Amino acid sequence: MKRISISFPGVKALDAVDFQAAAGAAHALIGANGAGKSTLMKVLSGAYSHYEGEIWLDGRQVNIRSPKEAKDLGIQIVYQEVDTALIPNLSVGENIMLDRMVHDMGGRQVIRWNGLHQEAEAVLARMNIRVPSRKLVSELTLAEKQMVLIARAVSKQCRILVLDEPTAPLSHSETEQLFKLVRKLKEDGVAIIFISHRLPELYEICDEITIMRDGRHVASERIADIEQPKVVEYMLGARMEQQFPKIEREIGPVAFEARGLHDPGKIDHVDFHIRKGEIVGLAGLVGAGKTELCRAVFGASSTSTGAISLNGKRLRISSPHDAVRQGIALVPEERRREGVFVEEPVSVNLTASVLSRFSRWGSWLSFGREKQAAREMIDRLGIKTPSEKARVKNLSGGNQQKVAIGKWLLADADVYIFDEPTKGVDVGAKRDIFQLVAELAKRGKSVLYASSELSEIVGITDRVYIMYDGAITKDLDTRASTEEEILLYCTGGGLT
């Protein structure tokens, strides 16, 4: 890719960027949120057609202005937002074979369903993915959806495979399974472009690395020739400061308590508590029940039962509305589907949970006051956006996450629940999120921090509950524990 430039209203996303990748190699493409890496790959995959510059493949210039043109050249991309790329009401097999159903029927009006599922099952078996072909995508876990997307990408002749944060929803074992597939594709001569914020993974699987910042190409190196601190320095344009903030705060009495939380097949009679000003971690592998527990507390599961109390008062929560009204906020794992309104402006998202504060006589909305509050929150969180009117879908993943958090800061809740808050977020934005969490605790808020990133659990929490197979199996003082000990309990080890 030579001198690729592209602009959107109010922002130049790419500025004369050069990028190249070799067949049979994995190339890491990284940068802070908003650096332009995903935009560059959307140009390559035909999602954006109004770019300037040239794309060359095997020594000849090609014209890519649509996803079909990219796929016809063997260029496949697996996006980070899995729910926007899959059709939930279709089966796994139908989603895997979707491109062939649409483009390769050759005028035939009849689909051989048994043959379709047999082909899909062959693809799944080759990748060692144990998901039934006839199962609906809506019934899959986030990790299973990710693997189905990758299966669809490699089901056709694939010469260049772009993976955008592919390991974000995957457990350690699932990540290893993905890496085995990547190594096999490299042996087959496929060029892999790997976008991730998890630097250790890049050093494990990638051969080359390209770093972007503010829509420009910064550096390209063999990954073995550049150390991780230098990579971070290139990404941020400055040396990395202390990642986890050390904010002195006072931890008070128990403020939030849950007893006997149960959701059939998801969580099994869970008890836990959080003190005033305390950050409590919730650790566990993908599928352990962390997200399900967060949703149960927030009233987002119609089948959950149990007792919840706040400051000694029993709460009746049967819906998220009840939870918000009684002082509980949730920043969900799947931010694009559940955390923000992607088609709405930043201002609408930031004020959505407190509209009554900006209304007159209960019905008339004061747009001026709403705009002012949104601008103040944008400045406070450092949200990179052309203005408060920009649509959230046009922001980077890290800035979308800041919007998802910002709306609850305006709401001023008593209990804040963060479910995988740094998934798909760069090191700079992670540091900002850690600072926000610490400041909430300093203000006396009770924080539940659910994450499969054990370094974050150890770095920011006071205590940690370990979840395994839907139950809490251990309660540890984080300062007296280690990542290794927590991982042991997360995998079911050390339990009697």
Side-chain angles (χ1 to χ4, degrees), residues 159-196:
R159 301 177 65 197
I160 300 172
L161 178 62
V162 181
L163 299 175
D164 190 355
E165 291 289 347
T167 63
L170 304 184
S171 67
H172 294 287
S173 60
E174 289 165 334
T175 296
E176 282 302 314
Q177 181 181 334
L178 171 65
F179 284 0
K180 287 179 182 177
L181 174 64
V182 170
R183 293 185 182 102
K184 182 182 184 303
L185 292 171
K186 285 165 62 176
E187 292 173 0
D188 294 341
V190 177
I192 310 290
I193 302 172
F194 205 98
I195 301 175
S196 177

Side-chain angles (χ1 to χ4, degrees), residues 245-262:
K246 302 299 181 185
I247 296 180
E248 293 296 327
R249 52 195 161 83
E250 182 178 341
I251 296 179
V254 172
F256 175 86
E257 191 169 18
R259 293 289 178 190
L261 282 187
H262 183 71

Side-chain angles (χ1 to χ4, degrees), residues 71-298:
K71 290 176 180 178
D72 288 344
L73 292 168
I75 300 169
Q76 298 281 348
I77 184 168
V78 176
Y79 290 110
Q80 178 183 349
E81 295 86 8
V82 296
D83 281 304
T84 63
L86 293 171
I87 301 176
N89 295 328
L90 295 184
S91 67
V92 168
E94 289 164 339
N95 270 276
I96 290 175
M97 308 305 291
L98 189 62
D99 290 340
R100 201 171 307 179
M101 290 169 62
V102 173
H103 297 299
D104 298 346
M105 284 181 61
R108 289 183 285 113
Q109 301 300 312
V110 178
I111 297 175
R112 294 181 173 273
W113 295 107
N114 287 335
L116 179 145
H117 285 292
Q118 287 173 1
E119 287 188 63
E121 286 167 357
V123 173
L124 292 167
R126 189 170 78 243
M127 296 176 61
N128 196 29
I129 299 174
R130 297 178 178 86
V131 179
S133 174
R134 297 179 185 272
K135 189 173 184 177
L136 287 179
V137 162
S138 60
E139 299 172 356
L140 301 182
T141 66
L142 197 59
E144 289 171 335
K145 292 175 185 176
Q146 179 73 73
M147 299 306 285
V148 168
L149 266 182
I150 296 172
R152 182 167 76 188
V154 302
S155 65
K156 295 182 67 175
Q157 184 62 35
C158 180
R159 301 177 65 197
I160 300 172
L161 178 62
V162 181
L163 299 175
D164 190 355
E165 291 289 347
T167 63
L170 304 184
S171 67
H172 294 287
S173 60
E174 289 165 334
T175 296
E176 282 302 314
Q177 181 181 334
L178 171 65
F179 284 0
K180 287 179 182 177
L181 174 64
V182 170
R183 293 185 182 102
K184 182 182 184 303
L185 292 171
K186 285 165 62 176
E187 292 173 0
D188 294 341
V190 177
I192 310 290
I193 302 172
F194 205 98
I195 301 175
S196 177
H197 294 301
R198 296 175 172 178
L199 292 182
E201 291 181 354
L202 300 180
Y203 277 79
E204 179 180 348
I205 198 67
C206 294
D207 308 288
E208 308 280 339
I209 186 168
T210 290
I211 305 161
M212 295 181 66
R213 185 175 70 245
D214 297 331
R216 296 183 177 89
H217 172 272
V218 175
S220 292
E221 302 271 359
R222 280 195 56 79
I223 200 164
D225 297 337
I226 184 170
E227 296 181 350
Q228 290 189 30
K230 189 66 177 176
V231 171
V232 174
E233 188 175 335
Y234 275 133
M235 288 173 61
L236 301 180
R239 290 185 179 275
M240 182 64 179
E241 301 171 11
Q242 175 68 35
Q243 190 174 26
F244 299 107
K246 302 299 181 185
I247 296 180
E248 293 296 327
R249 52 195 161 83
E250 182 178 341
I251 296 179
V254 172
F256 175 86
E257 191 169 18
R259 293 289 178 190
L261 282 187
H262 183 71
D263 202 345
K266 299 174 182 178
I267 54 175
D268 186 13
H269 297 93
V270 169
D271 299 338
F272 72 97
H273 67 271
I274 312 172
R275 292 178 173 86
K276 194 176 181 66
E278 187 180 33
I279 303 173
V280 171
L282 189 62
L285 302 181
V286 172
K290 302 188 303 298
T291 293
E292 290 76 10
L293 179 58
C294 293
R295 289 175 59 84
V297 172
F298 195 59

Side-chain angles (χ1 to χ4, degrees), residues 9-11 344-348 350 371 374-375 378 383-392 395 403:
V11 61
E344 297 295 335
V346 172
S347 59
V348 169
L350 287 173
K371 182 194 298 185
R375 285 179 174 175
I378 288 169
I383 299 172
K384 292 182 179 178
T385 176
S387 76
E388 74 280 355
K389 298 178 181 178
R391 289 189 178 185
V392 168
L395 303 186
V403 171

